[in-house]
Amino acid sequence: MFSIRLAIQSIMQEKMLNLLSVISISIGLFILSVVFLVVYNVEKLTQELPEKFAITIYLNDEASLSDKRNIENTLNSDPLVKSIDYISKESALVELKTTLKKANYIFESIDDNPLFASFIIWLNPGKFDIQTVKSFITRVKLLKGVESIESNEKLLETISSLKKGLRVSTTGILLTFVCAMIFICYSTVKILFYRHGEEIEIYKLLGATRLFIRIPFLFEGGAIGFAGGVIAALNVLFTYYFFTARFKSIIPIFSSLDIPMYSVYLIPFVGLFLGITGAAFAIGRLKY
Amino acid sequence: MSVVYIIHTISGQLDIWKMIEFNNVSKTYDSVKALIDITFKIEKGEMAFIMGPSGAGKSTLLKLLYLSDKADIGSVSIAGFNIATLKETSYAYLRRNIGFVFQDFKLLKNKSVYDNIALTLRIRGVMERDIKEKVYSALKMVNLRHKIDSHPLTLSGGEQQRVTIARALVGEPTVMLADEPTGNLDVGNETSIMNIFKDINAKGTTILVATHNVNLVKGTGKRALYLDNGRLVKQESI
């Protein structure tokens, strides 16, 4: 209890220094939270991709009924496949005619049905990644009766590399900011420790243990981190509601932005952890 | 009484009758010999003075006693503990058996008289309800009960020194060390502080006072150890 009192007294005594540290940490945590939210939303959007992403397998005209069955069975047994739709040559033509209603004259000069029968494959979200899709396409291409395969492989590749890049840069940003915040707490506590040098000398002479002297600094580091976290969390909430309310009508993507509330509640505790870690490093390196 | 104290008593490492003991102690700072082959003993309940001019080695000698420094050669014992055999982690517990009084008081300026004295007990984990009574009793002994809520900077030098003595007293030390305790005080306050030391000593606390002021020691009938250029040159009762 006395240690907590000492920490509170020190915080009150060194208001400006502590305030600066709290603001720096809140800025750092705010940037971290924004980065996290961007990554979270990109991940969420890409997870929804399989529902919108389909592979079309065109069958050649020579494909027999048993070839079709074989293809269908192979597809059905693949864990990547969620569902398949079969579109016959005739249905494809009807669909095309419906689509090109206004340009029906195109079909007047065509006697035979030039379209291929096809399977449209809907993918399973759980198994969805570019490598699995690529190897799946390669496997299916080898099946007898398959004329060609149409997939948005390029789009998938772009999204995949975007996700990879985002993960790498996020990890970099995360590490940099975490180190920076730990360093801020470390420096603050170290400065505080030296500013209290005379007091600490007196504590030592009166029989204070190393732990007794150090614990208030741990509390102080934790308090700085926690306060920075609370401010950052409030900022994140304010920014989120401000942007979604203001811009969702102008920029549609803002309406689909999501904020996981647990992560907002977590921010002060991340601050607390970083504050204590910085303080622990600082007092661990001190002579007494 | 600390755990360290009990353990050492049981293990026989503690000789409670020799409160302070120097055996052939030498200390050098950057080729300057601060103490040279010092040997003496202060018995339990004794009050003694370390005398000598500035630079004689008085402060160095006290530094070794309050564990701020270590002897290069020889052994130093205090409150029955041989400092050389103690781990640094035990220093805090040993210091709880020693009361310190300094020329510059070493009071926390932003804390009240009460909090300065209570600090000794708070460090030891004494419950707040017990602290009040002990602080009052220590302040009564130095006749400063009425200044309990004052801050050190509002007190005179003599009053600040009495607060320092009360802070040392409240921990019920077995040994009290004072480094030039009257160095910053006028003659009236010198006498008053010396009388407080005598009262404390009369109750059984061993006291060692370092001073260059011969008048302070004269007529006390106590033992004086004279240091000169780091050597113990004379011991006598004056």
Side-chain angles (χ1 to χ4, degrees):
Chain A
M1 277 310 286
F2 185 60
S3 298
I4 295 173
R5 254 173 64 189
L6 282 179
I8 293 168
Q9 278 166 8
S10 173
I11 288 169
M12 298 314 286
Q13 259 175 40
E14 306 284 352
K15 280 191 203 86
M16 279 315 289
L17 179 68
N18 286 316
L19 189 69
L20 279 175
S21 305
V22 167
I23 290 170
S24 313
I25 286 168
S26 73
I27 292 170
L29 280 174
F30 175 74
I31 295 170
L32 268 189
S33 308
V34 169
V35 170
F36 169 77
L37 286 178
V38 169
V39 174
Y40 174 81
N41 278 287
V42 168
E43 287 283 342
K44 208 178 138 231
L45 282 173
T46 52
Q47 265 172 17
E48 285 166 8
L49 262 184
E51 289 164 25
K52 293 159 189 164
F53 185 84
I55 297 172
T56 310
I57 300 169
Y58 294 103
L59 307 177
N60 57 34
D61 291 341
E62 288 79 43
S64 64
L65 193 66
S66 72
D67 290 339
K68 282 180 200 168
R69 286 236 173 92
N70 179 40
I71 293 168
E72 193 175 359
N73 289 339
T74 311
L75 294 176
N76 273 329
S77 63
D78 200 298
L80 186 69
V81 177
K82 189 183 172 193
S83 62
I84 52 173
D85 291 331
Y86 175 72
I87 296 169
S88 65
K89 276 169 78 80
E90 294 72 30
S91 314
L93 188 64
V94 170
E95 206 175 301
L96 186 67
K97 279 181 177 173
T98 319
T99 314
L100 301 173
K101 221 177 200 173
K102 286 180 182 170
N104 243 347
Y105 58 89
I106 297 170
F107 299 103
E108 283 167 12
S109 56
I110 301 169
D111 298 331
D112 291 335
N113 182 352
L115 301 176
F116 294 110
S118 61
F119 282 110
I120 295 174
I121 300 161
W122 302 99
L123 299 176
N124 213 337
K127 313 279 176 186
F128 191 79
D129 77 78
I130 182 69
Q131 283 315 316
T132 335
V133 173
K134 267 186 170 177
S135 71
F136 171 75
I137 290 169
T138 317
R139 270 198 324 271
V140 174
K141 258 183 190 168
L142 298 173
L143 293 173
K144 197 182 168 202
V146 173
E147 174 69 27
S148 63
I149 294 178
E150 193 185 282
S151 68
N152 270 331
E153 226 176 299
K154 279 265 171 333
L155 175 72
L156 264 186
E157 265 174 8
T158 313
I159 292 168
S160 172
S161 56
L162 182 82
K163 271 171 72 174
K164 255 187 207 160
L166 203 64
R167 274 181 197 158
V168 172
S169 54
T170 305
T171 312
I173 293 170
L174 201 95
L175 283 175
T176 312
F177 274 86
V178 163
C179 290
M181 281 182 285
I182 289 176
F183 184 72
I184 291 168
C185 288
Y186 167 89
S187 311
T188 311
V189 168
K190 213 159 186 185
I191 292 168
L192 289 171
F193 198 93
Y194 288 122
R195 281 205 188 173
H196 288 82
E198 212 181 313
E199 251 168 77
I200 289 165
E201 193 55 36
I202 295 170
Y203 291 166
K204 269 168 67 178
L205 289 172
L206 295 178
T209 57
R210 286 162 69 94
L211 198 67
F212 180 92
I213 290 169
R214 281 152 196 252
I215 277 181
F217 292 100
L218 277 184
F219 279 125
E220 207 162 342
I224 291 169
F226 190 77
V230 170
I231 295 171
L234 292 173
N235 254 332
V236 167
L237 282 179
F238 172 76
T239 312
Y240 170 72
Y241 287 116
F242 176 78
F243 273 94
T244 47
R246 192 124 192 199
F247 295 109
K248 73 178 170 192
S249 55
I250 311 163
I251 309 164
I253 199 159
F254 275 105
S255 59
S256 59
L257 282 184
D258 186 24
I259 184 165
M261 285 316 282
Y262 72 87
S263 67
V264 179
Y265 299 140
L266 217 65
I267 298 171
F269 295 99
V270 172
L272 178 77
F273 171 75
L274 295 177
I276 292 175
T277 308
F281 274 126
I283 58 178
R285 288 177 64 88
L286 291 165
K287 193 91 175 96
Y288 190 82
Chain B
M1 188 175 281
S2 72
V3 175
V4 178
Y5 208 86
I6 295 165
I7 291 169
H8 281 74
T9 311
I10 295 166
S11 64
Q13 289 180 53
L14 192 70
D15 182 354
I16 54 167
W17 295 107
K18 278 181 241 156
M19 272 299 150
I20 294 170
E21 186 172 10
F22 274 59
N23 273 320
N24 309 106
V25 173
S26 294
K27 178 75 191 170
T28 307
Y29 292 110
D30 298 328
S31 76
V32 177
K33 289 180 176 175
L35 293 176
I36 305 160
D37 201 25
I38 304 285
T39 300
F40 70 90
K41 279 179 200 166
I42 308 281
E43 301 294 326
K44 187 178 190 289
E46 190 181 348
M47 181 172 174
F49 294 90
I50 301 285
M51 307 279 298
S54 293
K58 304 188 295 292
S59 293
T60 305
L61 191 144
L62 285 186
K63 264 187 188 175
L64 301 185
L65 285 172
Y66 59 71
L67 310 145
S68 182
D69 222 328
K70 279 184 175 174
D72 296 335
I73 305 167
S75 69
V76 178
S77 299
I78 182 157
F81 295 96
N82 182 351
I83 291 166
T85 63
L86 273 184
K87 283 184 183 171
E88 268 192 52
T89 46
S90 304
Y91 283 8
Y93 300 101
L94 175 55
R95 285 190 179 115
R96 293 179 187 183
N97 294 301
I98 308 166
F100 302 98
V101 178
F102 296 94
Q103 183 178 6
D104 59 353
F105 319 126
K106 293 202 190 297
L107 292 170
L108 299 172
K109 293 169 187 75
N110 55 347
K111 301 258 192 304
S112 68
V113 166
Y114 178 86
D115 282 332
N116 265 286
I117 299 169
L119 184 64
T120 306
L121 301 170
R122 283 174 179 150
I123 282 171
R124 292 158 202 221
V126 177
M127 303 293 282
E128 283 298 321
R129 61 170 179 270
D130 301 327
I131 288 176
K132 201 170 180 180
E133 197 186 318
K134 287 175 187 267
V135 171
Y136 275 61
S137 145
L139 275 174
K140 198 177 160 195
M141 187 138 185
V142 296
N143 201 20
L144 265 186
R145 187 76 167 67
H146 58 293
K147 296 281 185 183
I148 194 159
D149 294 321
S150 305
H151 277 70
L153 293 178
T154 65
L155 302 177
S156 69
E159 285 171 334
Q160 287 190 57
Q161 196 57 291
R162 281 192 274 159
V163 175
T164 313
I165 294 170
R167 184 181 65 185
L169 259 181
V170 81
E172 296 166 12
T174 46
V175 183
M176 199 179 258
L177 304 174
D179 190 5
E180 300 281 5
T182 59
N184 285 333
L185 308 180
D186 55 40
V187 180
N189 272 314
E190 271 181 11
T191 317
S192 153
I193 296 295
M194 282 315 294
N195 287 337
I196 293 170
F197 278 132
K198 280 178 200 163
D199 289 345
I200 295 167
N201 178 241
K203 287 180 180 167
T205 307
T206 310
I207 297 178
L208 183 63
V209 180
T211 181
H212 65 276
N213 189 344
V214 183
N215 294 329
L216 201 70
V217 186
K218 259 183 194 167
T220 55
K222 306 292 183 190
R223 186 153 62 113
L225 297 96
Y226 292 91
L227 288 181
D228 192 23
N229 283 324
R231 287 184 191 280
L232 182 61
V233 289
K234 190 168 68 170
Q235 293 189 51
E236 61 177 2
S237 290
I238 51 172

